[in-house]
Structure formats: C-alpha cells, structure tokens
Amino acid sequence: MGAEARTTMRIGRQNFAGTALLETSELLFRGDTRLRVPFASISKLEVQGDALHVTYTDGLLELALGETVAMKWAEKIRSPRTLADKLGIKAGMRVSIVGVDDEDVLTDIEARGAILERGNVPKGAGMVLWRIANPDDLARLPGIARKMARDGSIWVVHRRGDASTADVVIFSAAKAAGLTYTKVVRFSDTDTAEKLVIPKAAR
C-alpha cells in the first residue's frame, strides 16, 4: 500500500473531493470522480504553491496536498521504489525462491546482485520468497522457519482477495511457528506479500 491523502483534485474548471493514492506505479483518485494515472503517462510534474500539478496523457490535474507532501509525492513519482527495494534486496544476498515464477520480479531481484536459490530453502537462508496457493501450504512454514537464518525473513506471497489465504490466516500460522509479522507490500497486480521474521528476543 502506498501513501494516501484526503484532498481536492482540480481538472480544468472542475473540483472533486476525495482521496488521492500514490501506488507503486500509478496515481489514483477516488471520490466525487475516479481517476487512474499510470506514472508512464506523466510527462511533467510541478509543485506550485500547495498543489501538485501533474501533466499526463489526458491533460492536467492539480492535487491540493500542501507543499511538503506535494514535494514528496513528486519525488516518489520521479523515482519510484521497485519491488526489490521494498523487499530489502541487497547485493550478494542469497534469496530462496519457492513457488514464485514471475520472471519480471526475479529478474529485478537478480539485477540487484542477489543470488537466487530456486525451488529449495538451504540452511541459513537470508530471505525466502514463498508463494502459497492455499492454506494447506502453510503447514510447511515451521520447517522453512527452522532453515532460515535467525535474522532472516520469509515473504509469504498470496493472492489478494482470497479469504482462505488472507493475512489473518498467515499471521495465525506465523504465530504458531514462532514468527512475527513486520511488513506488507504490493507484490503484483494480483498478489500481496507479508514479511515474517523471528522476534528479536528469540534470536
């Protein structure tokens, strides 16, 4: 989930009240009207006074965000964080890949200098990227937790909107395995990822 702000959007002579959302690769507006502006469609960004001016394929919109927030949003749009950034990928890190077959994601991780271990979780793994398809898959969680490094992490990737693998289901399994939840990221258009780690007091 990205940043969001209650605001007013101006397009031409019309003003719309609602919520602006700054996502990984797009700007959204929900309220009196709905709008989706992919970053790729934006040709110009300016902060004028308290408003962010966005020139995109269909014209110009203005968001009344306040100068400080407008500056931050403009910078994030110009230099968006990648999924590898959000996962905490670093050069030389050994990342175990289980069930994740999105080549764009894996290429991005490798481009950061990470070493991929596909299909298995070696002893002392620093990070595990694991996609589950159903709640029965979570029976493997204790075994994976025992293999990972004490200061390592497991990212559990699951389909957004599927109640059978919702975050509360994952959190319950994590607690039973001696793990704790620390973070969530938007993994793809369809998936979300939850970060699980061993509590510091137990390391």
Side-chain angles (χ1 to χ4, degrees):
M1 178 66 70
E4 65 177 71
R6 290 289 300 173
T7 184
T8 299
M9 179 176 68
R10 181 178 178 84
I11 299 179
R13 296 182 179 180
Q14 293 184 294
N15 290 302
F16 305 96
T19 300
L21 299 98
L22 186 64
E23 298 290 1
T24 303
S25 60
E26 61 188 6
L27 181 66
L28 305 175
F29 187 86
R30 297 170 182 163
D32 293 342
T33 189
R34 298 176 73 90
L35 187 67
R36 173 179 173 271
V37 181
F39 291 171
S41 73
I42 297 174
S43 58
K44 186 177 181 182
L45 288 168
E46 291 182 302
V47 177
Q48 296 184 15
D50 290 338
L52 177 63
H53 291 231
V54 181
T55 302
Y56 66 112
T57 303
D58 293 337
L60 171 68
L61 67 85
E62 302 172 27
L63 291 173
L65 297 170
E67 183 178 7
T68 300
V69 174
M71 292 291 287
K72 288 180 179 178
W73 282 35
E75 182 58 30
K76 288 181 178 179
I77 292 172
R78 292 188 184 106
S79 303
R81 294 181 70 205
T82 68
L83 178 59
D85 291 327
K86 295 179 180 181
L87 293 175
I89 302 296
K90 295 178 174 58
M93 178 181 284
R94 302 188 77 86
V95 182
S96 179
I97 306 297
V98 182
V100 175
D101 55 8
D102 188 322
E103 287 302 323
D104 288 339
V105 170
L106 301 183
T107 298
D108 186 26
I109 291 174
E110 283 190 306
R112 294 307 176 93
I115 302 166
L116 304 189
E117 299 274 357
R118 298 179 185 243
N120 69 301
V121 181
K123 188 71 174 177
M127 180 183 291
V128 180
L129 197 57
W130 174 37
R131 191 183 192 285
I132 62 171
N134 57 69
D136 292 341
D137 291 342
L138 289 167
R140 296 182 59 191
L141 186 56
I144 292 175
R146 285 192 294 271
K147 288 184 177 182
M148 78 172 185
R150 302 300 291 177
D151 61 349
S153 61
I154 302 171
W155 284 97
V156 181
V157 183
H158 60 104
R159 190 168 185 82
R160 191 180 303 116
D162 183 348
S164 72
T165 56
D167 53 3
V168 292
V169 177
I170 295 169
F171 299 162
S172 178
K175 184 177 180 180
L179 302 172
T180 188
Y181 157 83
T182 63
K183 189 177 180 181
V184 60
V185 301
R186 180 182 183 275
F187 192 79
S188 69
D189 290 340
T190 59
D191 292 346
T192 295
E194 317 285 346
K195 184 180 182 180
L196 308 179
V197 300
I198 297 172
K200 287 185 178 180
R203 295 178 188 173

